[in-house]
């Protein structure tokens, strides 16, 4: 899977280079783009992990898991051992993922019904779930299913089950909305998906852990300063970079 | 003699009544019993409560059942998807009720309904708007909400192989809600692609034992929802 | 299965003729013997029923289901479609029933795990369960798992699940204990298996329904009078025999 | 690389500790992981809480573990069977604790433990001594008791086929408690008769997906409890 993923990566990387943060001063793109965010998160998926990937950028993580690591992907509609997308024309409408896209299976995969699938989730058998976010609060609350707008059609899917049941929740998200509002907030204004569930956040600007003291920066994207991140983050921000801790 | 085979989809759904609760299998189009749903449209009964993960797409299958104003209430986790406009439009117009349930809670409620468990506790949705009005209870330091088992008058599901006892085997991720809905319904109606002799399915690989199934209809070449939607088809 | 059952029936009936009630006046056996009780109960198992048979006399019911009826037997350790005992030497220690005896499977059988098996029971999917009894009360309470004796090793197995979950509970039992005490009682003195769960009782003397008014006799064994049954029954006894109702 | 194969039963149980809760698969001898139990006897840890439907028979397997005074408490539904004297004797002597649980409640508690359900309601045991001290609650006119999910530190189970991912297939009624105990234990150890390459088991027929299994030990010719008992054998 990793070999194929690498080639997929090459194919798609050029057209995605543009998707970083637009620097307001000079119009150039700074920070990590979507592919780079997924690649950074993939570094933290250990060998042997059982992983559920949300729709959107999280799906890309599978492409970047470092070679030599064997990771098993779960999709909550009833498959453990999900493989990559099929070749065009090879799609099977009865072999899909939670995003209702055609997938394949790896050798050693298994099918099961929905209650068994969510028993894997609720029973804390899945090691890591990577999700998108509308907002993450400093205490790890996640809002990613509804803006609460009056005319919105509410739709939650498996998000609440995943955050309540999976051992470790990673979030991949742009640091700010298109309007420039921080998605890392003191307290979520959108309806919650779960309380105190997020462990780590991968944004276009930084990698941050959720800690009792607030968002703890582990790593900054190239060319991004703590001040730049602080300006774009609500809630307490701590510099937890190894260099900073060790070298200070 | 036990023979659960029924000659047509129309005959299989002939006793579904106005106001019935109907579980409809499938996750998106995978596992959706489209011929049984269309038979239910032909039948024309109203004010159904339908349990399905979604609300269908385009103007065929479940979406067509809703569009035909036969559904008073949907119980589901994700009522909007690509190509789904029927439910959103009716919902915004206040013409259809929605009970939104997290997907895993929905699955567990159905399984509980089938397993004789009237209620159970789950951590899913604690602290969210979907836990509002529900009983909260702490077990070993963590909060959980009380959720109730869900049963239905009928289940319409789709499988790959079946025998006259009602033993079922599914195809890949089309299995999804089929096995648990079969357990939770008073009358379970399955459409199968292949009808086999009793004994032709290995007892070790039967997913739904016949005890959970009441009627079998053979539909050897079922329509595929996405193809119908892509072709702009509608039903009836 | 029915053809084989018939031959089993013939083989075994002669040696079992002695097991009826010992008439205290003249030492002859009166009432139904164990085989006859099982045969009488079998008449009430309809075509297409899913049936769970308890250990002891209930097991014999399968042999006597009238030809032409297709009945599926469930055993709670994880098998639907249990067949007859295997030929000697053909036993498989991994193919057993709830009594831990070797069994076979019929075509169309299925295996499943214990939680699924008891979902069939608890979820009211099994139509009929036939059980033995220590006591049955006039309101249908059943005691069949413990005498409550201080030195007894308590053991319940699936009895409480079966009576709570199966739609219809039949009991097959001797009308009286070896000491001559009635097992049909006003109120059980032994610890209960379940409350108000028994529908019908097949004894060596009679077939009785549990009704709001008490035990209702549907049928008497040949040569047994209502008075004879009444003398051996605690709790209210009603004559509900068709002949009695219609002909009176 | 994921490889859950362990070289020996001894190595597989090497971290089971004093006071651990251990679920042991099997219904009577069917599905009893006798080689893993004997390895646990060799290991000699004490004060275990053991979950099994029964208490073993003769002086081998689970009965031998109990006889060896390693079990402080049994959680089971039927602690006496043909040829079982070890548990009854210790129980009468007050040397072992018993939590008696109806068989279906036991199965559902284990399944709940594995599925992240801390508690559920069941009608089983209502009005009996086994409901004493338990919360009663009425749903739609019927009383139910509250029962709690059951988890374990370890599960020892037996299957027929396995691969290095821990995917398992069982044999006939030896399936019994294996799949649910695998879900409910922190560490699940399975002995398998046959070890297969990954991909050799059809994804549609895998009963226990590898996510629930931590260690696999191949025991190609497992001992059969009833034969050992008939031969008057004891362990160690």
């Amino acid at each position: 899977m990793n070999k194929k993923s690498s080639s997929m990566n090459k194919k798609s990387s050029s057209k995605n280079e543009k998707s970083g943060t637009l620097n307001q001063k000079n119009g150039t793109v700074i920070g990590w783009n979507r592919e780079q965010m997924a690649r950074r998160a993939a570094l933290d998926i250990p060998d042997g992990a059982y992983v559920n990937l949300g729709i959107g950028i999280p799906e890309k993580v599978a492409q970047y898991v470092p070679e030599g690591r064997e990771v098993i992907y779960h999709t909550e509609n009833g498959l453990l051992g999900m493989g990559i997308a099929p070749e065009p024309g090879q799609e099977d409408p009865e072999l899909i993922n939670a995003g209702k896209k055609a997938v394949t299976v790896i050798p050693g995969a298994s099918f099961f019904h929905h209650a068994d699938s969510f028993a894997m989730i609720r029973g804390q058998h899945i090691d890591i779930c990577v999700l998108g976010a509308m907002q993450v609060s400093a205490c790890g609350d996640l809002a990613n299913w509804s803006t609460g707008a009056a005319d919105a059609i509410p739709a939650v899917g498996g998000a609440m089950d995943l955050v309540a049941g999976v051992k470790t929740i990673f979030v991949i998200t742009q640091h700010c909305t298109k309007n420039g509002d921080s998605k890392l907030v003191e307290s979520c204004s959108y309806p919650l998906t779960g309380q105190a569930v997020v462990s780590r956040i991968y944004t276009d600007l930084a990698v941050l852990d959720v800690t009792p003291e607030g968002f703890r920066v582990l790593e900054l994207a190239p060319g991004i300063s703590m001040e730049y991140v602080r300006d774009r983050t609500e809630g307490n921000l701590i510099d937890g970079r190894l260099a900073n801790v060790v070298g200070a | 003699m036990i023979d659960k085979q029924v000659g047509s989809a129309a005959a299989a759904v002939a006793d579904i009544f106005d106001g019935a609760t109907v579980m409809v299998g499938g996750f998106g189009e995978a596992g959706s019993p489209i011929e049984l749903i269309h038979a239910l449209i032909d039948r024309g009964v109203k004010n159904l409560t339908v349990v399905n993960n979604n609300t269908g797409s385009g103007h065929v299958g479940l979406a067509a059942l809703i569009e035909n104003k036969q559904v008073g209430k949907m119980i589901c986790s994700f009522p909007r998807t690509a190509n789904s406009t029927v439910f959103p439009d009716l919902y915004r117009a206040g013409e259809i009720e929605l009970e939104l349930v997290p997907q895993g809670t929905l699955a567990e409620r159905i399984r509980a309904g089938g397993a004789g468990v009237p209620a159970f506790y789950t951590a899913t949705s604690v602290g969210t708007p979907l836990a509002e009005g529900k009983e909260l209870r702490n077990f070993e330091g963590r909060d959980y909400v009380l959720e109730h088992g869900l049963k239905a008058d009928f289940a319409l599901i789709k499988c790959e192989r079946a025998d006259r006892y009602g033993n079922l085997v599914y195809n890949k991720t089309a299995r999804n809600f089929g096995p648990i809905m079969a357990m939770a319904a008073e009358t379970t109606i399955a459409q199968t692609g292949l009808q086999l002799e009793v004994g032709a399915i290995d007892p070790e690989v039967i997913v739904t034992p016949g005890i959970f199934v009441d009627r079998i209809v053979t539909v050897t070449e079922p329509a595929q929802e996405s193809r119908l939607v892509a072709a702009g088809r509608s039903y009836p």
Side-chain angles (χ1 to χ4, degrees), chain A, chain B:
Chain A
M1 187 168 167
N2 279 306
K3 280 189 182 166
K4 284 203 179 177
S5 303
S6 297
S7 67
M8 287 175 66
N9 171 13
K10 276 167 199 154
K11 244 193 313 187
S12 57
S13 58
S14 61
K15 68 172 175 188
N16 280 290
E17 291 295 338
K18 292 184 290 187
S19 54
T21 293
L22 197 66
N23 185 314
Q24 287 157 330
K25 289 184 202 148
N26 56 18
T28 61
V29 170
I30 63 169
W32 285 313
N33 65 22
R34 291 157 55 93
E35 303 297 322
Q36 290 165 327
M37 287 157 68
R39 183 178 298 175
R40 179 59 192 82
L43 293 179
D44 294 340
I45 308 287
D47 187 29
Y50 291 93
V51 176
N52 183 296
L53 300 176
I55 298 167
I57 312 182
E59 286 179 85
K60 297 176 176 288
V61 169
Q63 303 172 18
Y64 298 113
V65 170
E67 216 158 328
R69 296 187 196 171
E70 199 168 29
V71 173
I72 308 278
Y73 296 99
H74 172 263
T75 179
E76 59 266 33
N77 52 316
L79 166 60
L80 190 69
M82 178 174 64
I84 57 172
E87 296 294 319
Q90 299 299 307
E91 297 89 352
D92 178 344
E94 298 200 323
L95 180 51
I96 60 174
N97 66 13
K100 306 198 175 73
K101 287 186 203 147
V103 295
T104 54
V105 296
I106 64 165
S110 52
F111 296 109
F112 32 82
H113 65 58
H114 243 71
D116 281 350
S117 186
F118 280 87
M120 291 180 190
I121 293 169
R122 200 184 309 99
Q124 302 191 304
H125 302 284
I126 312 278
D127 297 305
I128 296 171
C129 178
V130 188
L131 290 168
M134 293 171 175
Q135 293 177 324
V136 183
S137 84
C139 66
D141 293 352
L142 175 67
N144 77 344
W145 70 283
S146 168
T147 60
D151 67 334
I153 307 296
V156 65
M160 288 186 183
D161 307 284
L162 285 161
V163 300
V166 173
K167 289 175 197 158
T168 301
I169 303 293
F170 288 168
V171 160
I172 301 187
T173 180
Q174 303 297 330
H175 206 94
C176 297
T177 67
K178 282 168 187 164
N179 296 333
D181 297 327
S182 182
K183 294 174 122 187
L184 279 63
V185 297
E186 185 59 40
S187 167
C188 295
S189 58
Y190 292 142
L192 293 190
T193 309
Q195 284 179 321
V197 294
V198 176
S199 292
R200 186 168 288 184
I201 311 161
Y202 303 87
T203 78
D204 50 333
L205 304 182
V207 180
L208 311 96
D209 269 354
V210 173
T211 73
E213 292 76 35
F215 298 112
R216 187 167 177 273
V217 174
L218 299 180
E219 194 175 331
L220 293 170
I224 301 295
S225 67
M226 272 300 291
E227 290 62 40
Y228 190 88
V229 176
R230 185 161 285 130
D231 286 350
R232 285 155 183 80
T233 306
E234 288 180 35
N236 202 28
L237 196 74
I238 308 157
D239 190 349
R241 288 174 293 164
L242 197 59
N244 190 286
V245 172
V246 175
Chain B
M1 176 171 154
I2 300 170
D3 188 357
K4 299 179 179 177
Q5 295 170 95
V6 175
S8 69
V13 305
D15 59 348
I16 299 186
F17 49 85
D18 281 347
T21 295
V22 183
M23 291 179 174
V24 177
F27 176 83
E29 69 173 323
S32 180
I34 196 164
E35 281 73 15
L36 291 176
I37 298 170
H38 287 173
L40 191 54
I41 293 173
D42 295 345
R43 189 160 156 64
V45 285
K46 303 281 183 195
N47 198 26
L48 303 172
T49 294
V50 170
V51 183
N52 179 272
N53 190 65
N54 307 105
T55 59
S57 68
H59 304 274
V60 295
L62 178 55
L65 183 73
I66 296 169
E67 192 164 29
N68 206 31
K69 303 285 179 73
Q70 295 180 247
V71 182
K73 178 180 176 179
M74 285 296 312
I75 301 179
C76 66
S77 85
F78 209 86
R80 55 178 156 80
T81 31
N83 304 313
S84 97
T85 55
V86 168
F87 177 86
D89 290 349
L90 283 173
Y91 181 76
R92 285 201 188 88
E95 291 182 25
I96 191 165
E97 196 184 339
L98 169 66
E99 180 179 341
L100 188 71
V101 183
Q103 195 172 335
T105 297
L106 182 63
E108 190 68 10
R109 286 182 62 192
I110 294 167
R111 191 260 172 200
V117 170
F120 62 91
Y121 291 91
T122 174
T124 296
S125 90
V126 169
T128 79
L130 296 191
E132 277 167 25
K134 289 179 181 164
E135 176 187 316
L136 265 186
R137 186 159 174 168
N138 193 287
F139 295 97
E140 296 182 8
R142 191 174 185 193
D143 283 337
Y144 298 83
V145 292
L146 183 70
E147 295 281 359
H148 291 82
L150 194 55
K151 294 204 262 192
D153 299 303
F154 297 91
L156 308 182
I157 63 174
K158 180 186 182 186
C159 65
E160 188 189 62
R161 285 173 287 154
D163 63 27
R164 69 175 164 87
Y165 280 180
N167 292 308
L168 310 184
V169 173
Y170 302 85
N171 182 38
K172 306 188 185 77
T173 55
R175 187 184 303 196
N176 57 67
F177 284 92
I180 52 176
M181 287 181 170
M183 294 169 66
E186 186 60 33
T187 300
T188 293
I189 306 165
Q191 68 171 68
T192 180
L194 206 58
Q195 180 79 33
L196 300 172
E197 287 301 303
V198 159
I201 312 178
D202 180 352
E204 300 279 11
V205 313
I206 288 169
V207 175
T208 293
I211 193 169
F212 296 125
V213 178
D214 299 280
R215 298 170 200 160
I216 300 283
V217 182
T218 303
V219 180
T220 46
E221 292 189 11
Q224 203 60 50
E225 185 179 288
S226 55
R227 280 190 211 128
L228 298 182
V229 172
R233 295 277 295 280
S234 62
Y235 196 90

